[in-house]
């Protein structure tokens, strides 16, 4: 029986990997490509890890699993908390593999906290609260430490290291190095039919240092030859060495998958969607903006944090959005990337003011303003594509989706700015749809069509001959598992049990996670 080894580099893009492959910097990935097939892997809309990884885990679009952003709002309030495994409102393939008796080793897959009870071992990924077990079984980290190993959580907060790339790269290499050693030990000392592992240093690095590693960035030519350029490439080399080490532990008939959850494009300009809506006259800020607005900016942010502490705001106004709701017709509803805007609709949104009878007209006007908005500095339009909710989302959780969705044009980030639009500061790269895939194994054939991230769950189940508990939106990639392989569906209900029955995160933990999210540039 063949096994599946899935190695994911969060945010990897051929635009960056191809030149590194040509330089000979990634010999192990090159060897995998040479014995397999490579392609683009289409991500989800919205194009970020928080929506994409649940689509990986479930095989369905965000409209069917209900995760659209790094935050989810408590219904009927403006309180928002970081999303967790419990936010995924659909059965994952982990439940299917568990039901089929297949053993799993899952490491750092985003949104697997709180750790589900699976047949196997799991260390959660994503943004995690400190001081809690983030594994299944709960003592897995103790087991690692008895073996002299460590699995550091969180880290790589790239906004914290603004203008200190050396220190950022040191931390990213150190954290990743420890996780690689722990992964090798777990591969050797646990039983698994599926080994799936996600490496986030690529995504974090490309957000802040695309100008050193991405040829489509205007500063690339002058930066690539510097010492920081070389050190940035070492992030990829470290993970390439890990591919070599993991694949040394594979058997000839194992299916090997190398993927990313989304691609990356460089940016030199950044927007702030709430400020842009304010400029258009659709949003008024609340007075608290004076406190919360400057938080991401170095020393000012630290002062602002202290004010936040002093006023005892922790847990009371978790993750506030500085909007005066009684005077705003629209607001940013995908705050991590700025890709979603919603109408402040009466009867749906708490404090909604737009009459449902006016919804279509207001939305059409806002879409028109957003899509025709021209960057005064470059003369270009930052919004490449714009969609109405119903044109993208058909699933059962479509009613909680943003009303308007956008994709950024090349050169633009729709978030990470202090004003409506400005030169990008520390951010030099942001997400795009086109991720990567390499498949190698006995049945692998060249890809006939472009595979999608939502194809991964049914494909993994087909490869391991495990029935699916739900109908996936994605399909089995026959070019990966052969034309005879299929995924049987089985009428099973429910999701994988989660051990604790307490609230997923406490308010204090939400505050800690919020702090880390700010460090990752996902919140202002
Ligand atoms: Zn990212």
């Amino acid at each position: 029986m063949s096994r599946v080894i899935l190695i994911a580099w969060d945010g990897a893009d051929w635009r960056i990997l191809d030149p590194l492959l040509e330089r000979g910097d990634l010999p192990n990935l090159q060897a995998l490509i040479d014995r397999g097939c490579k392609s683009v892997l289409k991500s989800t809309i919205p194009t970020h890890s928080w929506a994409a990884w649940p689509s990986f885990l479930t095989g369905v679009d965000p409209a069917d699993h209900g995760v659209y952003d790094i935050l989810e709002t408590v219904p009927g309030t403006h309180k928002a908390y970081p999303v967790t495994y419990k936010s995924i409102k659909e059965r994952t393939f982990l439940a299917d593999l568990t039901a089929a008796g297949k053993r799993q080793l899952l490491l750092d897959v985003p949104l697997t906290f709180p750790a589900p009870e699976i047949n196997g071992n799991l260390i959660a990924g994503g943004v995690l609260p400190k001081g809690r077990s983030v594994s299944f079984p709960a003592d897995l980290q103790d087991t690692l430490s008895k073996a002299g190993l460590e699995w550091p959580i969180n880290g790589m907060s790239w906004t914290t290291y603004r203008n200190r790339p050396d220190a950022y790269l040191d931390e990213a290499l150190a954290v990743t190095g420890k996780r690689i050693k722990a992964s090798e030990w777990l591969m050797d000392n646990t039983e698994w039919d599926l080994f799936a592992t996600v490496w986030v240093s690529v995504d974090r690095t490309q957000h802040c240092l695309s100008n050193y590693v991405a040829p489509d960035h205007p500063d690339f030519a002058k930066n690539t030859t510097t010492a920081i350029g070389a050190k940035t490439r070492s992030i990829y080399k470290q993970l390439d060495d890990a591919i070599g080490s993991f694949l040394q532990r594979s058997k000839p008939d194992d299916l090997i998958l190398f993927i990313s959850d989304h691609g990356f494009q460089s940016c030199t300009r950044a927007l702030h969607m709430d400020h842009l809506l304010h400029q258009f006259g659709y949003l008024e800020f609340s007075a608290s903006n004076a406190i919360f607005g400057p938080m991401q900016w170095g020393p000012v942010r630290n002062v602002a944090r202290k004010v936040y502490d002093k006023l005892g705001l922790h847990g009371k106004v978790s993750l506030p959005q500085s909007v005066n709701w009684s005077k705003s017709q629209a607001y940013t509803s995908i705050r991590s990337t700025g890709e979603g805007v919603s109408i402040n609709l009466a009867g749906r949104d708490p404090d909604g003011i737009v009459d449902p009878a006016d919804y279509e007209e207001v939305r059409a006007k806002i879409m028109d303003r957003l899509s025709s908005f021209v960057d005064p500095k470059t003369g270009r339009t930052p919004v490449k594509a714009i969609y109405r909710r119903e044109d993208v989302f058909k699933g059962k959780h479509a009613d909680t989706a943003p009303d308007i969705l956008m994709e950024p044009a090349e050169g633009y980030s729709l978030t990470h700015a202090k004003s409506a639009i400005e030169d990008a500061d520390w951010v030099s790269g942001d997400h795009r749809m086109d991720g990567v895939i390499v498949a190698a194994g006995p049945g692998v054939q060249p890809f006939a069509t472009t595979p999608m991230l939502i194809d991964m769950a049914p494909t993994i189940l087909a490869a391991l001959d495990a029935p699916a508990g739900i109908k996936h939106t994605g399909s089995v990639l026959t070019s990966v598992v052969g034309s005879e392989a299929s995924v049987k569906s089985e009428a099973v209900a429910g999701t994988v049990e989660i051990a604790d029955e307490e609230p997923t995160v406490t308010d204090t933990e939400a505050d800690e996670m919020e702090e880390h999210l700010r460090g990752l540039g996902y919140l202002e």
Side-chain angles (χ1 to χ4, degrees), residues 203 207 262 431 522:
D203 175 272
H207 275 297
H262 55 73
H431 309 155
Y522 279 112

Side-chain angles (χ1 to χ4, degrees), residues 10-11 47-50 158 203-204 207 261-264 337 429-431 520 522:
D10 194 299
T47 306
H48 57 73
S49 299
W50 321 107
W158 42 277
D203 175 272
R204 305 290 183 262
H207 275 297
D261 57 329
H262 55 73
F264 244 79
T337 60
D430 218 338
H431 309 155
L520 296 178
Y522 279 112

Side-chain angles (χ1 to χ4, degrees), residues 208-273:
C208 56
L209 297 169
S210 271
N211 49 342
Y212 286 85
V213 79
D216 64 336
H217 195 284
D219 295 337
F220 170 77
K222 75 172 160 63
N223 286 344
T224 183
T225 52
T226 63
I228 294 296
K231 199 163 174 178
T232 306
R233 286 191 294 277
S234 71
I235 292 284
Y236 300 80
K237 290 181 179 179
Q238 179 186 42
L239 292 178
D240 184 75
D241 287 345
I243 291 179
S245 161
F246 298 155
L247 295 192
Q248 262 177 16
R249 294 163 163 84
S250 68
K251 297 174 186 164
D253 63 345
D254 287 345
L255 171 64
I256 317 296
L257 294 167
F258 170 80
I259 68 162
S260 66
D261 57 329
H262 55 73
F264 244 79
Q265 61 192 12
S266 293
C267 57
T268 55
R269 300 280 285 165
L271 282 76
H272 186 296
M273 217 29 89

Side-chain angles (χ1 to χ4, degrees), residues 3-5 7 35 105 180-190 192 195 241-252 254 256:
R3 306 175 302 175
V4 176
I5 295 179
I7 302 164
R35 74 177 175 98
L105 174 57
I180 291 170
K181 285 210 167 66
S183 302
E184 291 165 343
W185 188 89
L186 287 164
M187 278 186 93
D188 292 339
N189 291 282
T190 66
W192 48 269
F195 168 57
D241 287 345
I243 291 179
S245 161
F246 298 155
L247 295 192
Q248 262 177 16
R249 294 163 163 84
S250 68
K251 297 174 186 164
D254 287 345
I256 317 296

